[in-house]
Amino acid sequence: MAFGIQSQHLSLAFLLLGMMVSQATSRTLQEASMQKRHEQWMARYGKVYSDPQEKEKRFNIFKQNVEYIEGINSAGTRPHKLGINQFADLTNEEFTASRNRFKGHMRSSIKKTPSFRYENVSDVPSSVDWRKQGAVTPIKNQGDCGCCWAFSAVAATEGITKLSTGKLISLSEQELVDCDTKGVDQGCEGGLMDDAFKFIMQNHGLNSEVNYPYKGVDGACNAKGEANHVATIKGYEDVPANNEQALQKAVANQPVSVAIDASGSDFQFYSSGIFTGSCGTELDHGVTAIGYGVSDDTEYWLVKNSWGTEWGEEGYIRMKRNVDAKEGLCGIAMEASYPTA
């Protein structure tokens, strides 16, 4: 009898040991699989780390981000999907610090324009996509330079230039980074779209991307390049704040610079669908509303970003429109503005 009990205890012990070994093996295999995914991801995006310690640190961040992305996607509770993109080895804090430099906190010091030319527009299309009218240049990539404000202002200026002259010209963000440094705008350290419009007006125009190419770092102003103008604007106007209907009137007529809170992980890894992710109204990123529409009864804004084509829907994001909050999703209706020709 005692032998039987002892045998049962031994069997149970072996069973438990076997389970522990199995779980450990499973974890090791999962880790090996994740490391393989990290190696494949590194190869795809050309990532090279300075030393083994840095690689280990980045692997652990990558692993956490992948688990977050797959957890959100498998839950299936949101109408948008996340993806393992080029930002997968960055913490959210690192990511936002290097790219989101819209100086929303400085906006109160800038006098808002009283006029809004689209105030009395009553008939707007149910959907707009300025790409179809040839008023949007291909997606650009700001890299690790926090000059989203320059890309937003340039995209809006490219749009109004096409609508007023019939010519779509890729304009120079680098000129704004290098030369527009006397006010709030400080190159890769951040700025405001309204200040960029002001610079373009005072400079009597802006050069082309071809003649003043993007470097992605702060540089000295090229006086010869600054003096060469291929596009001009007469002024700029602010869209009435916290009013998505006013923003729709403006976007129905031209691409519009907008500021958003793009600080969340859902925004970092947005891949497709209509974005409804968690975000507040601490405006930190400048983008461009280039249209709007409806999909499966959900209204959305069509927004051009400046993080390359690997992010989002080939560089674009659709953000839910006409939400309960007057500020719009992620504050998109708080500080919109556009250049005038």
Side-chain angles (χ1 to χ4, degrees), residues 86-87 99 138-145 147 151 173 214-216 305-311:
Q86 68 267 43
F87 308 126
R99 282 168 181 80
I139 289 291
K140 302 180 184 183
N141 194 341
Q142 68 187 77
D144 290 334
C145 173
C147 62
F151 280 82
E173 292 85 9
Y214 187 63
K215 306 284 192 207
N305 201 356
S306 52
W307 294 344
T309 56
E310 292 277 342
W311 179 89

Side-chain angles (χ1 to χ4, degrees), residues 6-321:
Q6 197 173 21
S7 176
Q8 284 179 344
H9 285 166
L10 279 170
S11 297
L12 187 60
F14 278 122
L15 182 64
L16 289 171
L17 181 63
M19 288 171 64
M20 289 168 65
V21 170
S22 175
Q23 286 172 352
T25 304
S26 176
R27 277 197 300 272
T28 304
L29 287 170
Q30 284 177 344
E31 198 80 2
S33 173
M34 189 67 77
Q35 283 177 334
K36 186 177 180 182
R37 290 173 75 177
H38 185 225
E39 294 287 349
Q40 290 170 340
W41 176 88
M42 286 173 62
R44 176 174 177 177
Y45 292 107
K47 293 278 184 171
V48 180
Y49 300 118
S50 56
D51 54 52
Q53 290 76 21
E54 179 68 12
K55 185 177 180 181
E56 179 69 17
K57 176 185 174 183
R58 292 296 151 194
F59 167 71
N60 287 325
I61 294 168
F62 175 84
K63 181 184 173 189
Q64 289 171 0
N65 284 335
V66 169
E67 288 170 350
Y68 174 79
I69 290 164
E70 294 183 341
I72 293 293
N73 287 346
S74 62
T77 55
R78 305 181 192 189
H80 63 269
K81 294 286 187 185
L82 306 185
I84 304 166
N85 59 25
Q86 68 267 43
F87 308 126
D89 70 342
L90 298 175
T91 66
N92 187 246
E93 291 74 21
E94 290 171 329
F95 172 74
T96 54
S98 66
R99 282 168 181 80
N100 300 0
R101 292 289 181 90
F102 174 78
K103 292 186 175 181
H105 61 288
M106 301 286 286
R107 189 65 166 75
S108 57
S109 64
I110 305 295
K111 187 178 179 183
K112 293 191 176 183
T113 58
S115 56
F116 176 53
R117 65 186 52 209
Y118 304 120
E119 182 70 48
N120 297 320
V121 170
S122 56
D123 189 21
V124 296
S126 59
S127 66
V128 168
D129 183 345
W130 284 111
R131 295 175 298 186
K132 294 177 180 177
Q133 307 302 318
V136 183
T137 57
I139 289 291
K140 302 180 184 183
N141 194 341
Q142 68 187 77
D144 290 334
C145 173
C147 62
C148 55
W149 58 274
F151 280 82
S152 171
V154 161
T157 303
E158 290 168 344
I160 196 64
T161 300
K162 164 65 178 178
L163 295 176
S164 60
T165 69
K167 297 177 184 176
L168 180 64
I169 307 166
S170 183
L171 300 175
S172 175
E173 292 85 9
Q174 193 65 43
E175 182 180 345
L176 290 174
V177 170
D178 293 349
C179 306
D180 176 18
T181 56
K182 291 176 182 166
V184 173
D185 298 343
Q186 295 296 321
C188 294
E189 299 308 305
L192 295 168
M193 285 78 85
D194 278 11
D195 258 26
F197 294 143
K198 202 175 291 182
F199 170 84
I200 297 169
M201 288 165 52
Q202 292 168 350
N203 191 51
H204 306 295
L206 198 62
N207 207 336
S208 69
E209 189 90 55
V210 171
N211 293 332
Y212 203 136
Y214 187 63
K215 306 284 192 207
V217 292
D218 292 323
C221 183
N222 180 329
K224 185 179 177 184
E226 186 186 27
N228 186 3
H229 310 136
V230 299
T232 61
I233 60 172
K234 288 182 180 173
Y236 69 93
E237 294 178 352
D238 295 313
V239 178
N242 304 323
N243 186 334
E244 286 198 84
Q245 284 67 48
L247 181 56
Q248 183 180 6
K249 290 178 182 181
V251 177
N253 285 278
Q254 66 182 99
V256 175
S257 287
V258 291
I260 56 174
D261 179 346
S263 61
S265 292
D266 277 26
F267 210 93
Q268 181 176 347
F269 300 118
Y270 168 78
S271 175
S272 63
I274 297 178
F275 182 79
T276 60
S278 53
C279 56
T281 54
E282 295 292 318
L283 305 178
D284 64 358
H285 189 47
V287 288
T288 316
I290 58 124
Y292 57 83
V294 183
S295 176
D296 295 329
D297 297 324
T298 302
E299 297 174 305
Y300 64 84
W301 294 109
L302 178 59
V303 176
K304 183 185 186 186
N305 201 356
S306 52
W307 294 344
T309 56
E310 292 277 342
W311 179 89
E313 295 182 328
E314 298 183 336
Y316 294 89
I317 181 171
R318 287 178 293 158
M319 299 175 64
K320 191 172 182 182
R321 179 167 57 98

